[in-house]
């Protein structure tokens, strides 16, 4: 919300010395996020005056049309003689009043003006457009043409209000009242302790039977509808300069008088309005839900197919507007430049259901200034005042006549009342405010407060966000100043540190980072088409997803069941930006729907939920195991003077799984496997006990192509919770033996399909307690020496006793026992 300081001062008598920065500091202290303060005209210096075009000479022989003009600027040039100016614009004629900048002036951006020769003539200044003065486009796309009654020689800086300060406020979703000058002025008045001149306090005539007929068929969607009629508007009437400038300062483009007035009142009071050309409205105005498949052409020229939940404004023909979002083209107010302009208008000021408007705006991808306000909360009590303000301005500026008829359809409702202990804000903030302060602050925001120890608070109509006692406590705290809250660190009871799961999560992140991986967190959303790209079977459990009712992105409506799609996207983006050697990891939750779907109960807020209630809530949530995943591409080790580098491959992905398993204290078995996105011949199945907890290896070429990944990309995904359950992460002190180690190497020949993990497990078990370590250091294949379908696995075995030096015979016996068991289980024979 852009708030010009000059407009704000109309409703709050701020000290003359207060700058935009001062007001920003006050509003930020009160809880409003003022992002910037824009200084309009800060580097603008005159003379900048009103001139009247006397003559126009068309210059020939140039690539574009050029005009040599003489302009009367009164005594502003010191001589009273006409000013000679060269100009390329075409949207003005002899006799028009224009804005002229004279030599010696400086325009926004530090552009200095001086007399200079151009196109064979000397130009003594410029005739200005809105963009050149920092005003923005006024719809003319050319020179500013002022009203005929504007005085020649008048200071244009003052006339066009070019010098001002504009506060840009990021309004949160719960503070729809601050999407108006009125709402921000109320906050400023509270912050400065000054009275507010409320622009909504108008004398409004009561409803009668002579107003324009209105029928509301959906009182839940529209609980208030005010209609007023103004006739006899001058079709040639244009918005005055002050109104156009205020709209431009808040970020809106002037269009026509009737539209500008409704936009002005919306910005002033926060109540969206719409003006219908009365001659184009046929019969009674209605409010109802759309019929599925109905169509309407909105003011942006788009033909829209309506949904049954859309709230629409209708006449006898059908829809004439999307309620609270945008009007229809079939009742559009004619522009003042058209031959037959609008003379009679019907003003609509209504209050619509916030949820309905938000869904309609999202459904049609049509966000408007009106929908932004309705979905954040509009003051229903301001509708009649806004309609009256609009009528008054149209009568004043367009010479119209307000008809006596007033239509007001209202669904009765009681004001919202909250009972709150007077000391509740004290307990929330840990500060003793006292009853008087609490009552005073609540009254300042517009609440009616009664009672002593127990306060009965009636919430004002413009604050629908105040729903319960903590909302009221927040109002007191923010107005007393968040900066005044004491800074105290909580003192947790002893033994309440991180849980085992949290500690494992942190350790896994540290060890992967130490191994050269970079953490890349991603959004937990995906589209179901990704499962086809991952080559998952039709009955794969990962295809069962939890879908969101209101997804942030319609293309990703489901919660993830795998971390890989998000990491693939991160890898693709970084590779596309020139980072080709990548190793990324992520730890996070995946979401698996339960077999039995339950509806989550609403937990109480006035007491601690019972263990049974919490358990019931947990049972309704999807299962959310924590996974860890990595992806690698490019070089794993860089080449340099030290030697050759090497590319990342499937073995690095498997090693990442082993690293994680060691942190969890779990024994991970790696064996050949085949699953979804991995290459059938380069996929490892990761097993703990009898449970498959993940996969690792090189990705399938089709998956690489589908996700746009570098060739030979490898990946790993592991169920971290399953590792935690199976592992023992109790820290083990290192054992340093004083006795020497005995090393024995063995080379075993096995069939190619026999996994190395099975051979190693057999060797480890057969060697017994004397085995300290085992390492595979060579894999060799040669049909001539080993035979068809055979391979050689060479292992280094380390033996050591804790109480003596092993003899050669003891080490050899342990090695032979290991080889014997490996031969019995895997068919391995010594390579000889």
């Amino acid at each position: 919300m852009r708030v010009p300081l000059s407009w704000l001062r109309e409703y709050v008598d701020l000290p003359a010395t207060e700058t935009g920065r001062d007001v920003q500091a006050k509003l930020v202290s009160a809880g409003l996020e003022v992002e910037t303060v824009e200084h309009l005209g800060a580097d603008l210096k005159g003379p900048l005056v009103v001139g009247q075009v006397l003559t126009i000479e068309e210059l020939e022989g140039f690539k574009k049309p050029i005009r040599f003009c003489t302009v009367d600027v009164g005594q502003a040039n010191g001589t009273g003689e006409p000013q000679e100016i060269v100009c390329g614009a075409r949207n003005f004629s002899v006799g028009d009043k224009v804005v002229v900048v004279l030599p010696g002036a400086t325009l926004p951006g530090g552009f200095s003006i001086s007399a200079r020769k151009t196109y064979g003539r000397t130009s003594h200044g410029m005739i200005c457009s809105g963009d050149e003065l920092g005003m923005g486009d006024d719809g003319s796309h050319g020179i500013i043409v002022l009203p005929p009654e504007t005085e020649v020689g008048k200071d244009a800086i003052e006339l066009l209000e070019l010098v001002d300060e504009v506060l840009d406020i990021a309004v949160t979703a719960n503070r729809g009242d601050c999407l108006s000058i009125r709402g921000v002025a109320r906050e400023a008045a509270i912050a400065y302790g000054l009275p507010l001149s409320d622009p909504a306090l108008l004398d409004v005539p009561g409803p009668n039977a002579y107003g324009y007929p209105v029928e509301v068929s959906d009182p839940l969607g529209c609980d208030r509808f005010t209609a007023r009629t103004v006739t006899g508007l001058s079709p040639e009437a244009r918005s005055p300069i002050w109104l156009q400038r205020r709209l431009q300062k808040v970020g809106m483009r002037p269009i026509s008088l009737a539209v500008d007035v409704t936009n002005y009142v919306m910005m002033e009071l926060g109540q969206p309005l719409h003006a219908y050309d009365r001659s184009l409205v046929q019969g009674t105005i209605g409010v109802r839900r759309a019929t599925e498949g109905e169509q309407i052409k909105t003011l942006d020229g788009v033909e829209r197919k309506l949904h049954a939940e859309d709230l629409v404004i209708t006449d006898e023909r059908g829809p004439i507007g999307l309620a609270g979002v945008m009007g229809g083209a079939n009742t559009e107010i004619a522009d003042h430049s058209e031959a037959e302009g609008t003379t009679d208008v019907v003003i609509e000021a209504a209050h619509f259901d916030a949820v309905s408007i938000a869904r309609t705006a999202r459904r049609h991808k049509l966000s408007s200034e009106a929908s932004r306000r309705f979905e954040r909360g509009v003051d229903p009590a301001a509708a009649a005042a806004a309609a009256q303000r609009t009528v008054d301005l149209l009568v004043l500026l367009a010479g119209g006549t307000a008809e006596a008829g007033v239509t007001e359809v209202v669904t009765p409702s009681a004001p919202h009342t909250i009972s709150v202990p007077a000391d509740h804000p004290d307990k929330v903030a840990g500060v003793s405010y006292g009853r008087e302060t609490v009552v005073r602050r609540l009254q300042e925001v517009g609440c009616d407060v009664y009672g002593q120890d127990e306060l009965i608070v009636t919430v004002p109509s413009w604050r629908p966000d105040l729903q319960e006692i903590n909302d009221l406590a927040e109002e007191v705290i923010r107005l007393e100043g968040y900066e005044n809250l004491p800074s105290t660190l909580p003192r947790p009871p002893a033994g309440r540190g991180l849980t085992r799961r949290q500690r494992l999560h942190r350790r896994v992140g540290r060890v992967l980072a130490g191994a050269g991986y970079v953490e890349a967190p991603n959004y937990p959303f995906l589209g179901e088409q990704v499962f086809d790209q991952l080559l998952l079977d039709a009955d794969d459990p990962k295809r069962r997803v939890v879908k969101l009712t209101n997804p942030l992105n319609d293309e990703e409506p489901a919660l993830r069941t795998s971390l890989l799609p998000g990491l693939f996207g991160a890898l693709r983006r970084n590779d596309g930006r020139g980072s080709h050697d990548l190793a990324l990891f992520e730890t996070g939750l995946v979401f698996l729907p339960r077999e039995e779907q339950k509806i989550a109960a609403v937990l109480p807020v006035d007491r601690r939920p019972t263990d049974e209630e919490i358990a019931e809530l947990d049972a309704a949530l999807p299962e959310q195991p924590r996974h860890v995943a990595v992806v690698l591409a490019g070089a794993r080790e860089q080449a340099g003077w030290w030697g050759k580098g090497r590319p990342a491959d499937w073995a690095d992905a498997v090693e990442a799984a082993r690293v994680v398993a060691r942190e969890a204290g779990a024994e991970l078995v790696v064996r050949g496997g085949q699953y979804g996105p991995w290459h059938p011949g380069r996929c490892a199945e990761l097993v703990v006990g009898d449970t498959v907890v993940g996969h690792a290896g090189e990705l399938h070429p089709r998956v690489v192509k589908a996700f746009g990944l570098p060739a030979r990309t490898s990946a790993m995904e592991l169920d971290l919770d399953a590792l935690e359950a199976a592992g023992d992460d109790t820290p083990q002190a290192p054992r340093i033996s004083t006795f020497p180690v005995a090393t024995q190497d063995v080379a075993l020949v096995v069939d190619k399909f026999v996994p190395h993990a099975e051979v190693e497990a057999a060797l480890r078990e057969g060697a017994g307690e004397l085995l300290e370590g085992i390492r595979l250091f060579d894999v060799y294949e040669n049909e001539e020496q080993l035979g068809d379908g055979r391979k050689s696995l060479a292992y280094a075995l380390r033996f050591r006793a804790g109480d003596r030096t092993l003899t050669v015979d003891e080490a050899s016996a342990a090695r032979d026992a290991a080889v014997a068991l490996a031969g019995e289980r895997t068919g391995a024979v010594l390579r000889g």
Side-chain angles (χ1 to χ4, degrees):
M1 176 67 191
R2 292 171 56 85
V3 180
L5 192 58
S6 59
W7 198 351
L8 189 66
R9 288 182 183 275
E10 283 197 7
Y11 310 129
V12 184
D13 188 16
L14 299 173
T17 56
E18 289 293 284
T19 66
R21 294 290 183 190
D22 298 329
V23 178
Q24 177 189 30
K26 286 283 190 180
L27 292 179
V28 168
S29 178
L32 292 186
E33 185 181 349
V34 184
E35 294 186 325
T36 60
V37 178
E38 183 179 352
H39 298 271
L40 302 182
D43 51 357
L44 177 64
K45 186 179 74 171
L48 189 71
V49 298
V50 176
Q52 184 172 22
V53 180
L54 301 178
T55 64
I56 297 177
E57 178 186 351
E58 302 288 345
L59 302 183
E60 304 292 339
F62 300 103
K63 292 183 179 180
K64 62 179 182 178
I66 298 297
R67 311 166 101 187
F68 181 68
C69 310
T70 59
V71 185
D72 178 13
V73 294
Q75 297 298 318
N77 57 5
T79 64
E81 296 295 324
Q83 200 79 3
E84 296 178 340
I85 298 174
V86 175
C87 182
R90 313 289 297 175
N91 69 311
F92 65 95
S93 307
V94 172
D96 283 345
K97 302 289 180 66
V98 294
V99 178
V100 179
V101 56
L102 301 177
T106 303
L107 293 181
F111 182 57
S112 299
I113 302 299
S114 60
R116 64 190 183 96
K117 190 168 183 179
T118 179
Y119 297 102
R121 304 293 179 94
T122 300
S123 181
H124 299 272
M126 282 176 54
I127 301 175
C128 298
S129 68
D131 286 335
E132 290 164 340
L133 297 178
M135 297 168 55
D137 181 30
D138 61 355
S140 66
H141 304 288
I143 294 302
I144 300 171
V145 178
L146 300 171
E149 63 274 12
T150 310
E151 178 185 350
V152 172
K154 184 177 179 64
D155 183 3
I157 295 178
E158 179 183 351
L159 174 70
L160 299 177
E161 302 177 14
L162 297 178
V163 178
D164 202 350
E165 293 181 279
V166 179
L167 285 69
D168 193 353
I169 303 175
V171 179
T172 54
N174 66 319
R175 291 302 305 273
D177 61 304
C178 288
L179 287 174
S180 66
I181 304 297
R182 178 197 184 201
V184 177
R186 183 180 293 107
E187 293 296 317
I190 296 172
Y192 279 93
L194 297 172
L196 170 69
S197 299
D198 193 342
L201 295 180
L202 302 174
D203 291 331
V204 180
N208 54 51
Y210 311 110
Y212 197 94
V214 173
E215 182 180 345
V216 177
S217 302
D218 190 336
L220 295 179
C222 175
D223 58 8
R224 185 180 295 262
F225 194 107
T226 300
R228 300 288 299 275
T229 305
V230 181
T231 60
L233 300 177
S234 172
E236 294 81 20
R238 297 176 54 187
S239 301
I241 293 173
W242 64 266
L243 193 150
Q244 294 187 46
R245 288 296 295 132
R246 286 193 169 177
L247 289 178
Q248 288 173 332
K249 289 176 184 178
V250 298
M252 302 191 77
R253 184 172 66 86
I255 298 174
S256 64
L257 178 58
V259 176
D260 292 349
V261 167
T262 57
N263 286 336
Y264 177 86
V265 175
M266 175 178 65
M267 289 297 177
E268 182 181 53
L269 301 182
Q271 168 66 52
L273 302 110
H274 190 71
Y276 301 94
D277 188 328
R278 183 176 180 178
S279 64
L280 300 178
V281 179
Q282 297 181 10
T284 300
I285 292 178
V287 183
R288 61 168 172 82
R289 298 288 172 175
T291 302
E292 188 70 37
E294 270 188 309
Q295 293 189 340
I296 181 176
K297 186 176 183 180
T298 45
L299 289 173
D300 58 356
V302 177
E303 194 78 33
R304 302 184 184 277
K305 188 175 182 180
L306 299 178
H307 188 275
E309 292 185 6
D310 291 335
L311 200 63
V312 292
I313 311 297
T314 65
D315 65 3
E316 291 180 352
R317 298 166 296 177
I320 59 173
L322 267 177
V325 180
M326 185 173 286
N330 54 354
T331 57
E332 182 179 6
I333 297 291
D335 188 86
H336 63 79
S337 62
E338 298 182 22
E340 296 182 3
T342 299
T343 58
D344 300 341
V345 297
V346 177
I347 305 299
E348 165 208 309
H351 184 261
F352 301 109
D353 175 61
V355 174
S356 176
I357 300 305
R359 288 178 176 172
T360 295
R362 175 175 292 186
R363 188 179 298 118
H364 293 282
K365 296 180 174 61
L366 184 61
S367 179
S368 64
E369 291 289 348
S371 67
R372 285 184 62 223
R373 284 161 176 77
F374 277 123
E375 63 192 39
R376 287 165 174 78
V378 169
D379 181 6
Q388 182 63 46
R389 177 75 165 135
T390 305
V391 168
D392 292 343
L393 287 173
L394 288 176
V395 171
L396 174 67
L397 302 177
T401 301
E403 288 195 351
V406 177
T407 302
E408 196 164 322
V409 180
V410 179
T411 301
S413 61
H416 184 49
T417 300
I418 304 172
S419 177
V420 54
D423 61 349
H424 182 69
D426 300 10
K427 294 178 180 178
V428 172
V431 176
S432 180
Y433 293 122
R435 179 188 177 279
E436 290 186 2
T437 299
V438 171
V439 171
R440 174 171 58 84
R441 288 303 191 183
L442 293 178
Q443 288 175 337
E444 284 177 347
V445 299
C447 296
D448 289 332
V449 184
Y450 303 96
Q452 292 299 317
D453 294 338
E454 190 75 17
L455 302 179
I456 306 300
V457 181
T458 301
V459 175
S461 58
W462 57 83
R463 291 299 303 273
D465 59 306
L466 302 182
Q467 292 292 322
E468 46 105 9
I469 60 174
N470 287 324
D471 296 330
L472 300 180
E474 182 183 5
E475 292 300 295
V476 175
I477 295 168
R478 75 174 181 88
L479 295 178
E480 284 296 304
Y482 292 123
E483 68 278 8
N484 295 323
L485 293 176
S487 298
T488 56
L489 292 175
R491 296 183 179 180
R496 297 283 183 90
L498 298 176
T499 65
R500 182 188 176 197
R501 187 177 193 229
Q502 291 169 330
R503 289 197 301 269
L504 175 60
H505 179 209
R506 294 192 179 188
R507 289 203 313 273
V508 166
R510 284 195 294 266
V511 74
L512 288 176
Y517 291 86
V518 177
E519 187 170 13
N522 296 285
Y523 288 118
F525 311 116
L526 53 75
E528 293 181 81
Q529 75 282 352
V530 79
F531 299 128
D532 294 330
Q533 297 173 324
L534 290 173
L535 306 181
L536 298 185
D537 294 336
D539 58 348
D540 194 295
K542 288 187 177 180
R543 284 183 175 268
R544 295 184 63 242
V545 296
V546 178
K547 291 189 176 181
L548 301 172
T549 303
N550 292 310
L552 295 179
N553 184 349
D554 292 338
E555 295 180 358
E556 296 180 334
L559 291 172
R560 67 188 177 191
T561 57
S562 168
L563 301 183
L564 291 180
L567 280 176
F568 291 167
L571 184 73
R572 180 180 63 252
R573 286 191 298 272
N574 284 277
D575 181 70
R577 293 167 182 167
S579 299
H580 304 303
D581 303 325
L582 295 162
L584 308 179
F585 85 93
E586 180 180 8
T587 58
L589 302 180
V590 298
F591 305 86
L592 309 175
R594 298 182 186 271
E595 294 296 333
E596 182 182 357
Q597 299 292 330
K598 297 182 179 180
I599 299 176
V602 178
L603 296 182
V605 296
D606 57 341
R607 59 174 175 83
R608 183 191 182 281
T610 65
D611 293 342
E612 291 76 14
E613 289 173 330
I614 295 176
E616 184 180 354
L617 177 64
D618 286 340
L621 297 176
E623 295 181 18
Q624 302 176 55
R626 185 177 294 278
H627 281 202
V628 58
V630 305
V631 291
L632 306 98
R636 185 64 176 141
E637 295 177 3
Q638 295 290 341
W641 59 265
W642 51 84
K644 294 182 179 180
R646 70 172 183 85
D649 61 16
W650 62 268
D652 295 298
V654 173
E655 181 58 25
R658 289 197 175 102
V659 167
V660 172
R662 283 196 292 269
E663 283 299 315
E667 184 176 347
L668 188 71
V669 176
V670 180
R671 64 192 187 196
Q674 183 173 344
Y675 181 69
W678 281 277
H679 193 295
R682 299 169 188 151
C683 173
E685 195 172 65
L686 309 175
V687 182
V688 172
D690 296 327
T691 305
V692 176
V693 296
H695 294 84
E698 184 180 316
L699 294 176
H700 196 291
R702 286 166 57 189
V703 174
V704 169
K705 182 179 180 181
F707 285 94
L709 305 177
R712 308 298 294 270
T713 297
S714 299
M716 178 275 291
E717 184 168 15
L718 203 56
D719 187 336
L720 200 53
D721 285 355
L723 280 181
E724 179 195 357
D728 179 9
D729 61 353
T730 303
Q732 300 291 333
R735 297 176 59 189
I736 302 175
S737 175
T738 59
F739 298 100
V741 65
T743 303
Q744 298 273 353
D745 293 346
V746 294
L748 303 177
V749 178
V750 296
D751 292 332
K752 280 188 178 180
F753 64 83
V754 176
H756 139 70
E758 292 184 12
V759 179
E760 180 181 312
L763 288 173
R764 189 181 299 276
E765 183 179 342
E769 295 181 354
L770 294 179
L771 182 67
E772 182 182 75
I774 182 171
R775 177 175 63 87
L776 175 70
F777 65 86
D778 184 54
V779 178
Y780 177 69
E781 296 181 11
N782 188 307
E783 291 186 6
E784 294 181 1
Q785 296 184 16
L786 303 178
D788 186 23
R790 305 280 281 175
K791 65 182 177 181
S792 170
L793 303 176
Y795 293 91
L797 308 179
R798 292 168 57 90
F799 298 99
R800 195 190 319 248
D803 57 351
R804 67 189 187 279
T805 299
L806 290 178
T807 65
V808 174
D809 292 339
E810 287 177 310
S812 297
R815 179 202 62 188
D816 293 342
V819 171
L821 187 59
E824 179 183 335
R825 290 189 177 177
T826 66
V829 296
L830 277 172
R831 179 181 168 191

